[in-house]
Amino acid sequence: MRKRELNSLLSRSLQFLHPRPFCTCSQHPLPGLLPPDDTSSHDSSPDLSQHYAFLRNSLLDSPLQTLGSGESSNDAVSMSNAIRTGFGTETRNFLRQFRGRLSESLVVEVMNRVKHPELCVEFFLWASRQIGYTHTPVVYNALLELLCCSGNNDRVSDKFLMQIRGDDEELLRKLLNVLIQKCCRNGLWNVALEELGRLKDFGYKASPTTYNALIQVFLRADKLDTAYLVQKEMLNSGFGMDGYTMSCFAYSLCKAGRGGDALALVEKEEFVPDTVFYNRMISGLCEASLFQEAMDILDRMRSNSCIPNVVTYRILLSGCLGKGQLGRCKRILSMMMTEGCYPNCEMFNSLVHAYCKLRDYSYAYKLFKKMVKCGCQPGYLHYNIFIGSICSNEELPGSDVLGLAEKAYSEMLDLGVVLNKVNVSNFAWSLCGAGKFDKAFKIICEMMSKGFVPDDSTYSKVIGFLCDASKVEKAFLLFEEMKKNGIVPSVYTYTILIDSFCKAGLIQQARKWFDEMLRDGCTPNVVTYTALIHAYMKARKVFDANKLFEMMLLEGCKPNVVTYTALIDGHCKAGQIDKACQIYARMQGHIESSDIDMYFKLDDNDCETPNIITYGALVDGLCKANRVKEARELLDTMSIHACEPNQIVYDALIDGFCKTGKLEDAQEVFVKMSERGYTPNLYTYSSLINSLFKEKRLDLVLKVLSKMLENSCAPNVVIYTEMIDGLCKVGKTEEAYKLMLKMEEMGCNPNVVTYTAMIDGFGKLGKIEQCLELFRDMCSKGCAPNFITYRVLINHCCSIGLLDEAHRLLDEMKQMYWPRHLSTHRKIIEGFNREFITSIGLLDELSENESVPVDSLYRILIDNFIKAGRLEIALNLLEEISSSPSLAVANKYLYTSLIESLSHASKVDKAFELYASMINKNVVPELSTFVHLIKGLTRVGKWQEALQLSDSICQMDICWLLEEATNTK
């Protein structure tokens, strides 16, 4: 989250609490955390365990200091102020005192402060004449930036150039060369050509660096013929291409299928290729699918005593993999290993995925042995790709293939590697399908011991493992066998299964069994009805719950206190808190309300009395609805009715007050809970710490932590994660990282939420290398990244321009079977608080779409690749997201943006192909789409087609046209 957004969030959380100076009187925000006789002052440090001493100085710093941008150079300020008054004799005399201190940075800063083009040129010329100082390319570029912004056409005015020429012709020559090079770096080849013409008009020649830059920009624009013309002119001027430009030229020729021309160019330039040069040629030939020609270059290397290296073979392997030449990959892999060149882990990862996709599991498994031989230990990605590929298909794997998965699983377990959530489910399901129920149950237990939490998919495939004392496999199979053998299950058996499925959120299947009970004459009891009613209410299906409740009454099944508690809890979770309160009041016999009459039809004179669970459900619901004052009053009501509040009720109240910023009230409940003999637990401390971080009361965080340690209550992963996330949010990322290392030392392993919060903290500081290192570390330690982790990391990679890394992460996420097999986002965001999900922009997407919004990641990448001018990759990503049935259809913005970029790059045919694809996908184009296409046609000189398209638009419905025009504006 950016600093401004962070301040906004924290200011909202502070609206209920005004910070005060620390004191030890009874009015202290958290007096219960200090002994009554404690007379420590604001400057005293809490008595922390030595393990957390490193936090003391950091957290006790008074208000957070904002890092400034630093003071500007005094010299630059003085010089710029003088220049703004005019560049006369007085100014020149004043500037003399700075001649000995002139430097690149000082000259640039002065020009940036002055900004006035005429004055900047005068200063630039004055500086160039000073002894001991010479303009650098950085200074030339800074001047060009100022001069290009002075007009409407973004070109340097001739008057400035003439002024510079009149003073120093050599200076103008250098400036024009730098200008051309600048245009080339920005990909503006057409502008670069215009500036080259202007350079020649002034009677100058381009420098070798300029010629090399021109050739490179034309190669990037796929204009080989123009690049050849520039190269010819370069030779005529007596210059030769440098090694890098030469390799770029050879690569582009090979990519265009002109490998012979590349070799001819080498001979013509009398260039001696090295291994890097040949690698570039091989890369281009592989991209052109000319694999035999690439192998010929490999032979040519050897004949010229140029030894292929590991990069050579990796290029060949990557090229063959990308084009599906897997048979050739085997030969190349064998060849490179024979010559002592070994693939890296990433290459093996791609190989394993490719052969698994081809269902050549036998060879994919052999790759693990080859990895070990190459000194590359198989890890998290390799095993998950392999096992996930075998077990994720609709049909069950064969016994031989499943045996390979079991071998791989045994090996990965020995290495301390874990399966991700989806693959655990799929592997267990595959084993169940093969009749290996005990092994499936054992795998789930092993993975649960390593942090795996069963989700909806796991419940649906291996429901038997989650019922009846963790032996659900036998319970479920017994249930199926009972029906197959004609034995009628009892109401008890049905109720266990219905209750388990309801708790898993699988209401539809639970309802099927309920209907099956009625069909087979098995009468549901109050527990059966209550389980299903509660599930409907929690899912906000109030109509279905009420219908089932009426059925229950008609069948003469009397609701008990558990049923009414379920109704209260369900209405709270469905957002109908007033109805929940009415049901509670009716249970007390206080009110009459027609809205809830249906729940009390059987016997109004014998209402169920609320119990501690009832009160707990209502207190929790009121707190979550921010009605904490009513929840606090309910605490007093409980005492009046001789219903002693328990730990759960107190914790719910403390959490409610903390979340609304009412720390004094939270402390009052905290004290009362202690007086009643209840010891604060991890949940209590978690609520306090989370609230204190939101309120930026960092000094009190230490008090709470100290109190925890004093009560021998060791922080768990949730509390550590809250502290790490809180430290990151207030800009103390280094302390957060130290705390994460400390939690591992204390035997508490970080989970996926911890790592993700830490990665996000580093990412917001632009420390992407630490982000990637932390990501690799979590994988190596058996903590499987989830969708949120990938989302955060991809966002941060894009924000600093690491688009290839972001693209690789997206591919990795897909290879790991995220999120193709996930039908809902509920388990994906489990453990992440609402503020974090909001801060990464995911909350709105989740509210709009029940499925995991993977298409948003594609939009981020496509948009960034478009901005970077890498249109081919953007097109590939758009095609991928559009062709995948499991992903959302690409939106109109992406199509329009890509069509605009293609048209601007004169790739009109590609733009029209994309427009056709857009229409086929039933995406209605905006008027601006046609405008971009018309501009593209005019840019390549196709005026007739542009007029025809324009005429076609005019023939369209004029109302639609006006509406579209309005939207465009």
Side-chain angles (χ1 to χ4, degrees):
M1 184 184 299
R2 291 189 299 272
K3 183 175 180 65
R4 183 166 53 188
E5 295 169 332
L6 175 63
N7 291 336
S8 175
L9 176 63
L10 291 176
S11 66
R12 289 199 299 272
S13 65
L14 285 168
Q15 61 182 320
F16 298 106
L17 181 66
H18 299 285
R20 315 177 191 176
F22 180 83
C23 67
T24 56
C25 62
S26 59
Q27 282 74 32
H28 186 275
L30 294 175
L33 294 178
L34 296 172
D37 57 345
D38 190 343
T39 58
S40 57
S41 67
H42 179 63
D43 295 327
S44 63
S45 301
D47 184 20
L48 287 177
S49 163
Q50 59 178 343
H51 300 296
Y52 304 93
F54 70 93
L55 290 173
R56 182 181 290 112
N57 294 335
S58 173
L59 294 185
L60 287 178
D61 289 338
S62 59
L64 297 173
Q65 298 297 320
T66 303
L67 295 176
S69 59
E71 293 185 1
S72 301
S73 164
N74 291 331
D75 288 351
V77 174
S78 300
M79 294 171 73
S80 58
N81 289 338
I83 292 169
R84 287 196 195 99
T85 63
F87 216 87
T89 304
E90 184 178 347
T91 300
R92 295 175 191 273
N93 291 335
F94 176 78
L95 292 177
R96 286 180 183 175
Q97 60 182 303
F98 301 101
R99 289 182 297 184
R101 299 199 292 273
L102 283 180
S103 65
E104 172 187 284
S105 58
L106 179 59
V107 172
V108 171
E109 186 176 355
V110 169
M111 289 195 297
N112 285 336
R113 284 180 170 277
V114 172
K115 295 187 183 303
H116 193 280
E118 284 82 4
L119 294 176
C120 285
V121 171
E122 289 283 355
F123 174 66
F124 176 83
L125 293 173
W126 174 85
S128 69
R129 293 191 292 269
Q130 306 310 308
I131 298 173
Y133 170 78
T134 303
H135 287 316
T136 65
V138 174
V139 177
Y140 284 106
N141 276 303
L143 178 64
L144 289 171
E145 287 290 337
L146 289 165
L147 297 182
C148 287
C149 296
S150 63
N152 296 324
N153 57 2
D154 289 339
R155 291 196 66 191
V156 179
S157 173
D158 282 339
K159 73 172 185 177
F160 295 127
L161 299 181
M162 294 300 293
Q163 182 182 355
I164 295 170
R165 184 186 189 185
D167 190 274
D168 189 338
E169 291 191 359
E170 180 61 15
L171 201 62
L172 177 60
R173 185 189 68 80
K174 291 180 180 179
L175 182 69
L176 288 172
N177 274 282
V178 171
L179 176 57
I180 296 169
Q181 293 162 27
K182 179 176 181 290
C183 294
C184 292
R185 284 197 304 273
N186 294 333
L188 304 174
W189 56 267
N190 50 346
V191 181
L193 276 181
E194 293 174 9
E195 296 300 341
L196 179 64
R198 188 150 61 161
L199 180 139
K200 292 177 181 179
D201 290 342
F202 276 107
Y204 300 128
K205 287 184 179 181
S207 67
T209 304
T210 301
Y211 277 119
N212 279 297
L214 282 165
I215 292 172
Q216 288 173 31
V217 75
F218 287 124
L219 293 175
R220 289 197 299 270
D222 293 330
K223 295 184 176 295
L224 285 172
D225 294 335
T226 311
Y228 260 121
L229 291 175
V230 176
Q231 184 259 346
K232 183 178 179 181
E233 181 178 320
M234 187 178 184
L235 280 178
N236 293 336
S237 298
F239 304 132
M241 289 184 286
D242 60 33
Y244 177 72
T245 307
M246 189 71 186
S247 68
C248 290
F249 214 143
Y251 167 77
S252 296
L253 287 168
C254 290
K255 185 180 175 183
R258 297 166 61 179
D261 291 344
L263 293 173
L265 186 65
V266 170
E267 293 178 6
K268 186 176 181 180
E269 288 273 344
E270 298 180 352
F271 182 79
V272 180
D274 58 6
T275 302
V276 175
F277 184 91
Y278 280 120
N279 287 346
R280 292 280 283 166
M281 288 189 68
I282 291 172
S283 178
L285 290 168
C286 286
E287 285 195 44
S289 300
L290 299 173
F291 299 105
Q292 187 55 53
E293 287 83 346
M295 297 302 290
D296 292 340
I297 294 295
L298 189 66
D299 294 334
R300 188 184 185 93
M301 288 177 70
R302 292 193 181 95
S303 65
N304 290 339
S305 301
C306 193
I307 307 302
N309 59 14
V310 67
V311 178
T312 313
Y313 287 109
R314 285 176 184 172
I315 290 171
L316 281 166
L317 271 179
S318 297
C320 293
L321 276 175
K323 303 295 183 179
Q325 297 285 315
L326 299 186
R328 196 182 295 271
C329 283
K330 292 181 181 180
R331 295 193 293 275
I332 294 171
L333 184 61
S334 176
M335 186 188 306
M336 71 182 294
M337 290 181 66
T338 302
E339 295 186 10
C341 295
Y342 300 133
N344 58 12
C345 287
E346 270 193 328
M347 181 58 67
F348 272 116
N349 172 41
S350 299
L351 285 166
V352 171
H353 181 255
Y355 284 103
C356 284
K357 196 173 180 181
L358 194 66
R359 301 202 176 188
D360 189 354
Y361 300 114
S362 177
Y363 188 79
Y365 182 73
K366 288 178 182 177
L367 286 172
F368 293 138
K369 307 298 180 186
K370 293 182 184 291
M371 287 181 71
V372 175
K373 191 179 294 185
C374 293
C376 183
Q377 188 65 52
Y380 171 79
L381 288 176
H382 308 96
Y383 284 115
N384 273 277
I385 289 171
F386 182 73
I387 295 175
S389 180
I390 289 174
C391 301
S392 65
N393 301 303
E394 291 183 3
E395 68 278 6
L396 287 167
S399 58
D400 293 341
V401 175
L402 186 60
L404 290 175
E406 290 180 67
K407 284 183 182 179
Y409 175 79
S410 178
E411 292 171 7
M412 68 178 284
L413 208 60
D414 292 339
L415 294 171
V417 180
V418 297
L419 287 172
N420 67 27
K421 184 180 292 188
V422 177
N423 286 336
V424 171
S425 172
N426 290 335
F427 192 24
W429 172 72
S430 298
L431 289 168
C432 287
K436 300 181 179 182
F437 302 106
D438 290 336
K439 182 137 192 180
F441 180 72
K442 182 183 176 184
I443 286 171
I444 289 180
C445 290
E446 287 170 343
M447 291 298 104
M448 286 180 70
S449 70
K450 295 181 181 295
F452 164 74
V453 179
D455 59 8
D456 289 354
S457 176
T458 309
Y459 281 117
S460 68
K461 293 178 180 178
V462 285
I463 183 64
F465 302 124
L466 304 174
C467 298
D468 193 20
S470 298
K471 294 183 180 179
V472 190
E473 165 258 336
K474 292 181 180 179
F476 184 67
L477 286 176
L478 181 61
F479 178 73
E480 294 297 321
E481 282 183 18
M482 285 172 69
K483 293 195 292 182
K484 287 179 182 178
N485 294 332
I487 301 173
V488 179
S490 67
V491 63
Y492 177 76
T493 308
Y494 273 117
T495 301
I496 288 176
L497 287 167
I498 289 172
D499 184 52
S500 298
F501 270 64
C502 284
K503 287 175 180 175
L506 303 171
I507 306 173
Q508 194 173 15
Q509 179 61 52
R511 184 57 191 254
K512 285 181 181 177
W513 275 324
F514 179 84
D515 293 337
E516 185 178 294
M517 287 179 71
L518 298 177
R519 186 193 66 207
D520 295 340
C522 181
T523 305
N525 60 20
V526 66
V527 180
T528 319
Y529 279 110
T530 300
L532 202 51
I533 289 170
H534 194 204
Y536 275 132
M537 295 296 295
K538 286 195 294 183
R540 296 177 176 250
K541 297 182 178 181
V542 180
F543 176 80
D544 294 324
N546 289 341
K547 194 173 179 182
L548 192 62
F549 191 89
E550 288 182 348
M551 181 191 296
M552 176 182 177
L553 297 180
L554 288 173
E555 293 297 326
C557 183
K558 183 179 178 182
N560 59 17
V561 66
V562 179
T563 312
Y564 286 113
T565 300
L567 285 171
I568 289 172
D569 184 59
H571 275 103
C572 288
K573 287 180 168 59
Q576 299 182 352
I577 192 70
D578 289 329
K579 273 198 174 182
C581 292
Q582 289 173 10
I583 293 171
Y584 158 76
R586 186 67 169 269
M587 290 176 73
Q588 295 281 45
H590 290 164
I591 67 166
E592 296 288 334
S593 174
S594 57
D595 290 342
I596 58 169
D597 281 347
M598 62 166 294
Y599 299 126
F600 300 90
K601 287 182 179 177
L602 282 184
D603 192 350
D604 288 341
N605 297 322
D606 188 20
C607 291
E608 293 285 345
T609 303
N611 61 16
I612 184 63
I613 308 299
T614 314
Y615 283 108
L618 190 54
V619 167
D620 184 62
L622 287 166
C623 288
K624 283 183 169 59
N626 294 328
R627 294 166 63 169
V628 287
K629 184 179 179 181
E630 295 173 55
R632 179 65 182 82
E633 292 170 357
L634 203 59
L635 193 68
D636 298 330
T637 304
M638 292 177 68
S639 300
I640 294 172
H641 288 89
C643 185
E644 178 65 26
N646 61 10
Q647 178 92 43
I648 296 172
V649 175
Y650 283 118
D651 283 342
L653 262 176
I654 290 172
D655 186 60
F657 281 125
C658 284
K659 285 179 177 174
T660 54
K662 299 182 178 180
L663 285 175
E664 288 98 343
D665 293 322
Q667 175 57 20
E668 181 184 340
V669 178
F670 183 93
V671 172
K672 188 169 185 177
M673 179 179 75
S674 301
E675 290 173 353
R676 295 288 182 177
Y678 292 106
T679 303
N681 57 19
L682 287 169
Y683 185 86
T684 317
Y685 288 118
S686 174
S687 299
L688 289 168
I689 288 173
N690 190 40
S691 177
L692 289 169
F693 266 115
K694 288 179 184 176
E695 301 289 343
K696 296 172 71 172
R697 299 301 306 273
L698 305 186
D699 54 335
L700 293 181
V701 170
L702 291 181
K703 299 291 183 183
V704 175
L705 182 59
S706 180
K707 191 75 174 178
M708 280 185 69
L709 300 174
E710 184 181 307
N711 291 337
S712 301
C713 183
N716 64 358
V717 67
V718 175
I719 291 180
Y720 275 118
T721 301
E722 285 178 349
M723 292 185 69
I724 287 168
D725 187 45
L727 287 166
C728 288
K729 281 185 168 64
V730 297
K732 296 184 177 291
T733 310
E734 290 301 323
E735 287 82 354
Y737 184 63
K738 288 179 183 177
L739 185 60
M740 192 174 82
L741 296 177
K742 179 59 64 179
M743 72 182 282
E744 289 184 276
E745 289 179 18
M746 302 301 292
C748 182
N749 293 324
N751 61 16
V752 64
V753 183
T754 319
Y755 276 111
T756 304
M758 196 68 250
I759 288 170
D760 190 52
F762 278 131
K764 285 171 180 173
L765 295 179
K767 298 181 177 181
I768 197 66
E769 286 301 323
Q770 286 92 325
C771 292
L772 294 170
E773 183 180 346
L774 207 57
F775 180 80
R776 290 189 289 268
D777 185 58
M778 73 181 287
C779 293
S780 67
K781 290 181 179 177
C783 182
N786 64 11
F787 174 78
I788 304 295
T789 315
Y790 280 109
R791 164 76 180 239
V792 166
L793 196 51
I794 288 172
N795 265 338
H796 289 311
C797 283
C798 287
S799 67
I800 67 166
L802 291 180
L803 302 186
D804 292 329
E805 183 64 22
H807 194 186
R808 185 191 67 77
L809 286 167
L810 179 64
D811 287 337
E812 178 181 301
M813 188 178 77
K814 291 184 296 179
Q815 291 173 7
M816 294 302 298
Y817 298 89
W818 287 89
R820 190 175 63 183
H821 300 279
L822 298 170
S823 58
T824 125
H825 64 260
R826 299 186 188 281
K827 288 292 178 181
I828 296 301
I829 64 173
E830 189 173 79
F832 293 89
N833 60 39
R834 184 183 183 89
E835 289 82 5
F836 188 88
I837 299 299
T838 304
S839 72
I840 63 172
L842 192 57
L843 187 64
D844 292 338
E845 293 171 24
L846 292 177
S847 63
E848 294 170 3
N849 192 355
E850 181 68 8
S851 63
V852 180
V854 181
D855 52 319
S856 65
L857 288 181
Y858 277 89
R859 286 199 299 271
I860 292 168
L861 275 172
I862 291 170
D863 192 50
N864 277 278
F865 275 115
I866 290 173
K867 290 175 182 176
R870 300 172 67 180
L871 303 182
E872 287 297 326
I873 299 178
L875 280 168
N876 292 338
L877 285 169
L878 182 62
E879 182 179 354
E880 185 176 326
I881 191 176
S882 301
S883 61
S884 176
S886 61
L887 299 175
V889 176
N891 62 23
K892 188 185 301 182
Y893 163 79
L894 293 179
Y895 279 109
T896 304
S897 183
L898 259 174
I899 287 172
E900 179 184 3
S901 298
L902 288 167
S903 298
H904 186 72
S906 300
K907 297 184 178 182
V908 182
D909 293 336
K910 277 282 187 183
F912 273 93
E913 287 175 15
L914 192 59
Y915 170 75
S917 174
M918 180 182 184
I919 298 302
N920 291 335
K921 294 288 190 304
N922 296 320
V923 180
V924 180
E926 299 278 2
L927 179 60
S928 58
T929 308
F930 295 105
V931 173
H932 297 319
L933 288 170
I934 292 171
K935 285 182 178 180
L937 289 169
T938 59
R939 190 170 280 109
V940 296
K942 296 184 178 181
W943 294 95
Q944 187 61 36
E945 290 88 338
L947 288 171
Q948 289 176 358
L949 180 57
S950 178
D951 185 61
S952 299
I953 296 172
C954 293
Q955 301 303 319
M956 296 180 185
D957 187 356
I958 188 65
C959 294
W960 174 85
L961 183 62
L962 288 173
E963 180 184 350
E964 289 297 310
T966 303
N967 291 337
T968 304
K969 291 176 183 178

